[in-house]
Amino acid sequence: MKNDKNMTAAVSCALTIAGSDSGGGAGIQADLKTFTMHHVYGLSVVTALTAQNTMGVHGIYVPDPGFVALQLEKVLEDFPVKAAKTGMLFSSEIIEEVAGVLRSEQLPLVVDPVCVSQTGHKLLKDDAVQALKKEILPLAALITPNKPEAELLCGISIDSMEDVLQAMNILMDMGVKAVLIKGGHFEVQDEMVDWLGIAGADPVSVVRPRISTRNTHGTGCTLSAAITANVAKGQDITAAVQKARDYLQKALETSFDLGHGDGPVNHLL
């Protein structure tokens, strides 16, 4: 195939810093599939290996934090990365190493604060929560917590619109520039409502019909990866979120009924 340098120059690069999912529905695998479907070149830094399937996470192997940092350094020194996201960071040591590298970069960062897997397995050590708040959140252009994650980070219960607004303000006080609180854990029958707050602007609702399916494995990873891809292509946060939510909606509508547990969404749109 002919090497078209003009085509190469036009390619946008997006980076995921996250754990590997051997089941392919979440983590690095979901992120790279999502990047590809958004026509951006996907790069990866692996923070952990998991042995998992649709039934749950059965083991975690964590590389040396210095090696995680080395992956990140080598990717950033050679590729024109336009946006990055974090997923499973697991430990305070890994968080500190990742933050140490990212702090010197002018890079839009989407933070998916992965704390617990869909099947209830802890993906973030207890001592890592404070490190995430101190080291990573001040670097974030956007954070995408679900209700339990937002409650953990903010130290409050979120049961009303007033609580959502308070959580957004708490997260922005930590240095986050924008917050997307996802609505999957709120009890609304017919609609899925996410709330997007951007510093200096009124919060807006991102509303889509609720889809009745058990195949929701990897939804958070997929959404944050789609947002990252859109940001890498030059879209602002609001447009990136809206378009990413459309992609996730279609991925849920056509999700795969695989395995004996909660199947994955369909990234191949």
Side-chain angles (χ1 to χ4, degrees), residues 184-207:
H185 289 79
F186 292 93
E187 295 182 3
V188 179
Q189 294 300 317
D190 299 324
E191 292 182 331
M192 180 77 74
V193 182
D194 304 328
W195 287 97
L196 175 63
I198 299 175
D202 293 333
V204 297
S205 59
V206 181
V207 184

Side-chain angles (χ1 to χ4, degrees), residues 130-251:
Q130 290 302 316
L132 185 72
K133 292 161 66 172
K134 178 183 177 182
E135 305 288 348
I136 296 293
L137 295 197
L139 306 176
L142 174 71
I143 185 173
T144 62
N146 57 29
K147 180 177 181 285
E149 290 163 347
E151 290 177 334
L152 176 64
L153 292 171
C154 296
I156 64 171
S157 295
I158 303 175
D159 300 306
S160 66
M161 189 60 211
E162 289 74 17
D163 296 334
V164 169
L165 295 176
Q166 182 182 2
M168 287 181 172
N169 288 331
I170 291 172
L171 290 167
M172 287 184 191
D173 285 344
M174 295 179 192
V176 176
K177 297 177 181 63
V179 180
L180 179 68
I181 296 182
K182 298 175 291 190
H185 289 79
F186 292 93
E187 295 182 3
V188 179
Q189 294 300 317
D190 299 324
E191 292 182 331
M192 180 77 74
V193 182
D194 304 328
W195 287 97
L196 175 63
I198 299 175
D202 293 333
V204 297
S205 59
V206 181
V207 184
R208 299 292 185 278
R210 184 178 288 270
I211 297 169
S212 179
T213 178
R214 67 178 296 182
N215 301 324
T216 56
H217 181 57
T219 51
C221 302
T222 300
L223 179 62
S224 57
I227 295 169
T228 305
N230 289 330
V231 171
K233 293 163 70 174
Q235 296 170 16
D236 63 30
I237 289 294
T238 300
V241 167
Q242 292 285 2
K243 291 185 178 182
R245 193 59 188 82
D246 288 339
Y247 173 78
L248 178 59
Q249 192 76 4
K250 293 177 183 178

Side-chain angles (χ1 to χ4, degrees), residues 15-64:
L15 169 64
T16 171
I17 307 165
S20 168
D21 173 9
S22 55
I28 290 282
Q29 288 82 348
D31 294 344
L32 292 177
K33 291 173 189 177
T34 301
F35 289 166
T36 298
M37 295 311 298
H38 283 77
H39 305 286
V40 300
Y41 185 80
L43 304 157
S44 63
V45 170
V46 181
T47 60
L49 303 177
T50 66
Q52 67 174 293
N53 53 28
T54 63
M55 302 294 288
V57 179
H58 303 279
I60 298 175
Y61 174 80
V62 181
D64 180 81

